[in-house]
Amino acid sequence: GQQVMQIPQYQHVQEGEDFTTYCNSSTTLSNIQWYKQRPGGHPVFLIQLVKSGEVKKQKRLTFQFGEAKKNSSLHITATQTTDVGTYFCAGIMDSNYQLIWGAGTKLIIKP
Amino acid sequence: GAGVSQSPRYKVAKRGQDVALRCDPISGHVSLFWYQQALGQGPEFLTYFQNEAQLDKSGLPSDRFFAERPEGSVSTLKIQRTQQEDSAVYLCASSPIGDAYNEQFFGPGTRLTVL
């Protein structure tokens, strides 16, 4: 079936190091949304990208949408303990009402 | 104002029991989504309501799953004859826009455990 693949599953970083998660789709996406879920919490919306090649920044977070609208990435510069959580990408493929979600990348800060 | 609320927060059911999960979306939100999230996985779409109309139910895994939103606000997800594979967190989300091209506001979820 239609899938959104997200890698890596986990990333361990020292505080202050950078973090990147990647999403790849088997088909062209109409949009891509990114969410953050803290441990024990619910997904919280971060951003939506719609245009081919789009890049958006939120402070230390940089989001990209590929030219072919089949891949996306989230990069966090100089991670902080508040960044801990699982980052999900989700996109629309066929139905305007369905978000297809990646499995998430868990950001773990090494003590 | 209040966010999306869900009840109960936790539900333990014996295999074969019926359960009903409730979602109170943000007042005035047109769209309501139900998701199933297994441990360590991303949410999986179950069904979508635009006001009281169920426009997409293609994600419901079997005919044991039924959802309704009769007055276009509160929604209930019902699972009949629960099975162990139904154990998951059930998330509800709402949005002010009538499709998925917008931020979705999630509730805290209902954790269902089927013994």
Side-chain angles (χ1 to χ4, degrees), chain A residues 21-24 32 34 49 64-66 70-74:
Chain A
T21 173
Y22 301 91
C23 260
N24 287 287
I32 193 91
W34 285 90
L49 305 173
Q64 293 188 318
F65 201 9
K70 287 187 175 182
N71 57 75
S72 182
S73 65
L74 159 59

Side-chain angles (χ1 to χ4, degrees), chain B residues 30-83:
Chain B
V30 169
S31 292
L32 188 146
F33 304 83
W34 281 102
Y35 293 92
Q36 181 189 63
Q37 186 174 26
L39 190 64
Q41 298 296 316
E44 285 202 21
F45 171 86
L46 293 177
T47 188
Y48 166 75
F49 289 88
Q50 189 178 93
N51 296 308
E52 69 279 2
Q54 190 175 20
L55 298 187
D56 191 335
K57 56 181 181 179
S58 61
L60 296 175
S62 77
D63 58 8
R64 297 186 295 104
F65 286 71
F66 171 79
E68 59 183 5
R69 194 187 184 196
E71 297 179 358
S73 56
V74 170
S75 178
T76 304
L77 175 67
K78 297 178 180 177
I79 309 173
Q80 296 177 324
R81 304 181 304 281
T82 51
Q83 305 293 316

Side-chain angles (χ1 to χ4, degrees), chain A residues 9 30-31 33 35 37 40-45 48 50 88 92-93 95-104, chain B residues 9 33 35 37 40-45 48 50 55-56 58-59 91 98-104 106-108:
Chain A
Q9 188 176 3
S30 299
N31 72 341
Q33 295 181 9
Y35 289 80
Q37 187 171 25
H42 56 273
V44 175
F45 177 84
Q48 174 172 261
V50 179
F88 291 98
I92 292 177
M93 292 182 181
S95 166
N96 286 335
Y97 310 124
Q98 277 195 39
L99 277 180
I100 309 298
W101 292 67
Chain B
R9 291 292 311 278
F33 304 83
Y35 293 92
Q37 186 174 26
Q41 298 296 316
E44 285 202 21
F45 171 86
Y48 166 75
Q50 189 178 93
L55 298 187
D56 191 335
S58 61
L91 293 166
D99 56 38
Y101 288 91
N102 194 65
E103 174 179 0
Q104 294 185 18
F106 281 81

Side-chain angles (χ1 to χ4, degrees), chain A residues 42-111:
Chain A
H42 56 273
V44 175
F45 177 84
L46 294 175
I47 209 161
Q48 174 172 261
L49 305 173
V50 179
K51 299 177 183 176
S52 168
E54 190 169 11
V55 178
K56 287 188 176 179
K57 293 190 177 184
Q58 288 179 350
K59 297 183 181 178
R60 294 178 295 105
L61 278 62
T62 302
F63 304 84
Q64 293 188 318
F65 201 9
E67 293 291 339
K69 299 183 75 173
K70 287 187 175 182
N71 57 75
S72 182
S73 65
L74 159 59
H75 180 81
I76 303 177
T77 304
T79 54
Q80 300 175 358
T81 55
T82 53
D83 296 327
V84 163
T86 300
Y87 293 84
F88 291 98
C89 61
I92 292 177
M93 292 182 181
D94 291 333
S95 166
N96 286 335
Y97 310 124
Q98 277 195 39
L99 277 180
I100 309 298
W101 292 67
T105 297
K106 189 171 185 177
L107 170 58
I108 300 163
I109 304 283
K110 298 177 191 175

Side-chain angles (χ1 to χ4, degrees), chain B residues 10 26 44 46 55 64-65 86 96-97 112-114:
Chain B
Y10 303 91
I26 294 173
E44 285 202 21
L46 293 177
L55 298 187
R64 297 186 295 104
F65 286 71
D86 300 334
I97 306 299
L112 173 64
T113 303
V114 181

